[in-house]
């Protein structure tokens, strides 16, 4: 797929989301505000109950800042939570539309996914800058030019990894038709082990050791902590290489699943 | 341009007994059955031909189209479309074909058609000037030029179908698969689409395969017909030749006294034992209609005049649509 076509598909998808202004603003603003308020009150209560000034190396201000970053990064990495597209297209037979296009289906869907991150980008610009002004970012870390650029790379790779994982998972729709429950399970696992529910620093040391080798932290924790300046260049490089490794493994598995699964595709109806 | 050779497709589907017990059993063990949708179909379609592919529901029409468009893999046999194996989905082939499925929207529901067309222009790498000319021509001929900027979901069914046609033909494909393009449309829209397809054929000479349940589509558009029955090709030939091929019958319509109630007409027809002469097509206020082999026309006419209070007797060729429907249902086998 040419870069021009990629940009047009992504922009078309963003325009599609923006063709419903009410939903667009609800997704962009209300979604973030609700997440933020929940995190604020939850952690206020936890800190008050624990009677401690810091938890896992975060003070209350730092914890809220971490949540702001994790939420915003998550929106950019995961797009508009449209993981179900392939599974739904297999189930309903609408995959047919893309199969006749003289272009790669996966490149097309990935371009759409990038376009779906439009509300997340707006949130990051609006609330990210507001949070940086209102909250004390130094309570979490010291962002630098390197950390911001490295975080952008981490977000881009995280987005690609989330796409690759989602499409491997959804290719099971060729065998099982409906994989919704599998997606819900994977979303929970991703949020829990990726550091969206609680920072990974709160896990016991042995669990952190295991999680460090899994792909989930690249969706929330790694880009957020990189942005905050808490990931040094050496650690960033090592983690990025690991992320690329996961991309290769999941991509190869997805490719295989797709090739085998496609033989079972019926396009619905005879 | 299109070649199919012993093309076959078997689908595996699960069956479940009705009711709660059946659902519980299916949770543990599902009964899998093989369904042969297409059985060894062979044919060719050349440049400029519109070939009608007809058959009853489930006869395998859409499956054949999907295999030729590269959507699904065949279980056996081979096919070539523009010299390519369709299921390898080579971009060089995909740039030259179009698939229109009347029952499935191909365009983006939430965008105006104009936005979708721009995207398709990039996907098919249509040169700017050719794109403008094609779009202007297609939208003008189909009468939807003023609707291009309206969100697709806000258009009528007929307007949406016309947009689908434009989308499919923007890149001037050399092979077009039309799967029920007029389904659900009103008569005016059906006519407009038929006229448009004929005009498109005259100007571009693509190879077209058309499936439709509307006999008027077939009669107006196709000179050649493929009839599928239970996945098998039972007729491949000229539309005009189907009468002689299947030994079409003559239809005798006996008009009775207009004052006779329908119930009495049915009783009279039943008492006249018309089934021994041919196929009773109807007995109602319009009269008694009987399809009989050509060699028994005189005998049947005499019997009708003798057994019923006939006021007028009409003898006609069997309507081609009725004949095709009868073949699809099972009348006659290819000798």
């Amino acid at each position: 797929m040419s870069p021009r076509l990629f940009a047009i598909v992504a922009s078309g998808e963003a325009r599609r989301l923006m063709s419903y202004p009410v939903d667009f603003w609800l997704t962009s603003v209300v979604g973030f505000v609700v997440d933020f308020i929940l995190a604020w009150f939850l952690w206020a209560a936890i800190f008050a109950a624990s009677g401690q000034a810091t938890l896992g190396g975060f003070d209350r201000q730092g914890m809220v800042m971490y949540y702001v970053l994790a939420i915003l990064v998550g929106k950019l990495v995961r797009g508009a939570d449209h993981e179900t597209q392939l599974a739904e297209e297999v189930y309903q037979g609408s995959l047919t539309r893309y199969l006749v296009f003289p272009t790669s289906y996966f490149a097309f869907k990935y371009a759409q996914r990038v376009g779906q991150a439009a509300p997340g980008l707006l949130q990051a610009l609006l609330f990210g800058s507001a949070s940086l002004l209102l909250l004390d970012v130094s309570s979490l870390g010291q962002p630098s030019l390197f950390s911001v650029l490295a975080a952008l790379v981490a977000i881009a790779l995280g987005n690609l990894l989330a796409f690759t994982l989602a499409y491997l998972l959804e290719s099971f729709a060729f065998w099982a038709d409906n994989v919704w429950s599998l997606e819900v399970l994977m979303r929970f696992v991703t949020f829990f082990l990726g550091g969206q529910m609680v920072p990974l620093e709160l896990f016991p040391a042995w669990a952190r050791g295991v999680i460090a080798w899994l792909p989930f932290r690249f969706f929330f924790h790694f880009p957020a902590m990189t942005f905050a300046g808490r990931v040094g260049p050496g650690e960033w490089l090592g983690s990025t290489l690991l992320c690329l490794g996961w991309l290769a493994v999941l991509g190869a598995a997805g490719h295989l699943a797709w090739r085998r699964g496609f033989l079972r595709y019926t396009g619905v109806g005879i | 341009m299109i070649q199919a050779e012993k093309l076959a497709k078997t689908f595996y589907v699960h069956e479940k007994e009705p009711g709660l017990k059946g659902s519980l059993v299916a949770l543990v063990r599902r009964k899998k059955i093989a369904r042969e949708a297409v059985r060894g179909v062979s044919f060719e379609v050349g440049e400029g031909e519109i070939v009608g592919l007809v058959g009853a529901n489930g006869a395998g029409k859409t499956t054949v189209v999907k295999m030729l468009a590269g959507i699904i893999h065949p279980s056996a046999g081979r096919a070539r479309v523009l010299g390519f194996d369709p299921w390898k989905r080579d971009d060089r082939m995909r740039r030259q074909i179009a698939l229109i499925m009347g029952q499935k929207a191909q365009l983006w529901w939430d965008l105006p058609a104009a936005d979708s067309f721009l995207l398709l222009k990039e996907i098919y790498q249509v040169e700017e000037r050719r794109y403008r000319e094609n779009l202007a021509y297609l939208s003008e001929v189909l009468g939807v030029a003023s609707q291009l900027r309206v969100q697709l979901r806000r258009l009528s069914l007929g307007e949406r179908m016309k947009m689908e046609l434009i989308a499919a033909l923007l890149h001037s494909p050399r092979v077009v698969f039309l799967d029920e393009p007029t389904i659900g449309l009103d008569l005016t829209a059906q006519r407009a689409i038929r006229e448009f397809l004929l005009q498109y054929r005259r100007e571009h000479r693509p190879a077209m395969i058309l499936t439709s349940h509307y006999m008027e589509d077939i009669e107006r558009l196709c000179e050649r017909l493929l009839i599928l029955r239970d996945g098998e090709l039972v007729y491949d030939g000229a539309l005009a030749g189907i009468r002689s091929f299947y030994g079409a019958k003559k239809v005798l319509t006996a008009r009775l006294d207009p004052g006779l109630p329908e119930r009495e007409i049915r009783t009279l027809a039943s008492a006249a034992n018309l089934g021994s002469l041919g196929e009773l097509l109807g007995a109602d206020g319009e009269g008694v209609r009987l399809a009989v082999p050509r060699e028994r026309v005189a005998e049947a006419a005499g019997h009708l005049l003798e057994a019923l209070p006939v006021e007028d007797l009409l003898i006609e060729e069997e309507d081609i649509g009725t004949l095709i429907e009868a073949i699809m249902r099972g009348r006659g086998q290819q000798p």
Side-chain angles (χ1 to χ4, degrees), chain A residues 4 20 97 99 101 262, chain B residues 66 89 94 106 110 122:
Chain A
R4 180 180 159 80
Y20 297 102
R97 173 205 302 183
L99 296 178
F101 288 162
F262 180 70
Chain B
K66 283 181 192 165
R89 294 195 300 281
R94 293 195 289 184
Q106 307 282 306
D110 301 313
E122 293 302 325

Side-chain angles (χ1 to χ4, degrees), chain B residues 66-81:
Chain B
K66 283 181 192 165
M67 285 192 282
L68 293 173
I71 305 303
I72 57 174
H73 279 249
S75 307
R78 58 192 296 269
R80 305 285 286 174
V81 173

Side-chain angles (χ1 to χ4, degrees), chain B residues 87-275:
Chain B
W87 36 90
K88 287 187 177 165
R89 294 195 300 281
D90 191 299
D91 281 354
R92 287 171 295 174
M93 180 199 82
R94 293 195 289 184
R95 273 196 200 100
Q96 300 182 76
I97 69 164
L99 170 66
I100 299 160
M101 303 186 91
Q103 306 205 51
K104 276 199 180 8
Q106 307 282 306
L107 291 173
W108 286 267
W109 189 246
D110 301 313
L111 291 175
D115 274 350
S116 292
F117 296 156
L118 273 175
L119 184 56
L120 292 170
K121 167 183 173 275
E122 293 302 325
I123 291 173
Y124 286 96
Q125 297 172 12
V126 184
E127 182 206 334
E128 182 68 30
R129 192 174 148 203
R130 197 175 119 212
Y131 167 75
R132 284 180 187 281
E133 284 172 2
N134 283 358
L135 181 58
Y137 164 76
L138 294 168
S139 56
E140 199 58 44
V141 171
L142 284 167
V144 286
S146 60
Q147 307 292 324
L148 293 175
R149 292 177 185 177
V150 179
Q151 202 180 30
L152 196 75
R153 59 190 286 271
R154 300 195 186 278
L155 299 179
S156 71
L157 180 64
E159 288 167 337
R160 283 205 302 273
M161 198 58 230
K162 288 173 183 176
M163 296 300 184
E164 295 281 350
L165 276 171
I166 295 176
L169 303 176
L170 263 178
H171 59 290
S172 313
R174 293 176 62 209
V175 170
V176 181
F177 300 104
L178 297 151
D179 189 20
E180 303 195 34
T182 55
I183 195 163
L185 302 186
D186 64 31
L187 291 173
T188 314
Q190 283 182 29
R191 202 172 302 128
I193 285 178
R194 278 182 212 124
E195 292 307 321
F196 166 75
L197 289 173
L198 284 172
Q199 192 173 334
Y200 185 83
R201 195 262 297 259
R202 276 195 299 275
E203 290 169 13
H204 293 83
R205 300 201 40 80
M208 286 195 194
I209 291 184
L210 165 78
T211 82
S212 180
H213 284 292
Y214 297 131
M215 282 307 136
E216 208 180 331
D217 283 353
I218 303 295
E219 288 179 56
R220 289 278 296 122
L221 295 171
C222 310
E223 286 115 28
R224 187 175 147 214
L225 199 62
L226 302 170
I227 302 180
L228 282 175
R229 186 164 58 208
D230 296 330
E232 280 183 285
L233 192 61
V234 294
Y235 180 79
D236 175 359
L239 183 65
I242 199 164
R243 279 203 178 95
S244 54
F245 200 84
Y246 273 96
K249 298 176 180 179
K250 290 264 186 181
V251 176
L252 280 68
T253 305
R255 298 199 197 286
L256 311 185
D257 178 356
L260 278 176
E262 278 197 19
R263 193 190 304 164
E264 197 170 334
I265 293 175
R266 281 196 293 273
T267 310
L268 282 169
S270 171
N273 192 25
L274 300 175

Side-chain angles (χ1 to χ4, degrees), chain B residues 295-324:
Chain B
E295 64 275 12
R296 299 193 72 182
V297 169
E299 182 192 350
H303 185 76
L304 279 171
L305 290 168
E306 197 176 299
L308 301 171
V310 177
E311 290 207 338
D312 186 19
L313 183 66
L314 197 65
I315 303 174
E316 296 168 300
E317 286 286 354
E318 188 174 21
D319 171 62
I320 195 106
T322 313
L323 174 59
I324 293 169

Side-chain angles (χ1 to χ4, degrees), chain A residues 26-43 63-64 67-68 70-72 74-75 81 123 127 191 196-197 220:
Chain A
L26 277 176
T27 309
S28 298
V29 179
V30 179
F32 177 83
V33 171
V34 169
D35 281 350
F36 178 78
I37 290 172
L38 270 176
W40 178 276
F41 283 104
L42 178 70
W43 286 100
M63 189 64 85
V64 174
Y67 264 90
V68 168
I71 292 168
L72 294 177
K75 301 281 183 193
D81 268 354
Q123 284 179 4
F127 300 110
F191 276 40
Q196 205 270 355
M197 285 182 176
F220 304 101

